[in-house]
Amino acid sequence: MSAKDTIIKKLQQATCDRIELNRQVLKWQKGLKEVEKAIEGTNHKKK
């Protein structure tokens, strides 16, 4: 399990009963996915 997946899982566990925090976690998760795509795209171009 990657560090990103671990962080997301722990945040979701900590905020499961708080709707507002769940929404924030989802926003962070979306942002992390965008960053991951950007990094993978950069690494792919270098190869």
Side-chain angles (χ1 to χ4, degrees):
M1 186 178 292
S2 70
K4 179 190 80 155
D5 293 335
T6 303
I7 291 170
I8 291 170
K9 183 177 177 181
K10 295 296 180 185
L11 285 171
Q12 287 173 338
Q13 288 173 348
T15 62
C16 63
D17 60 341
R18 298 181 182 114
I19 295 172
E20 291 178 28
L21 291 176
N22 277 340
R23 289 183 185 141
Q24 187 66 35
V25 168
L26 291 174
K27 287 180 185 178
W28 290 342
Q29 183 178 12
K30 183 178 178 182
L32 287 172
K33 284 183 181 180
E34 291 175 7
V35 169
E36 183 179 26
K37 286 180 185 179
I39 291 172
E40 287 178 359
T42 302
N43 288 339
H44 184 69
K45 289 179 185 176
K46 288 182 180 178
K47 291 181 180 179

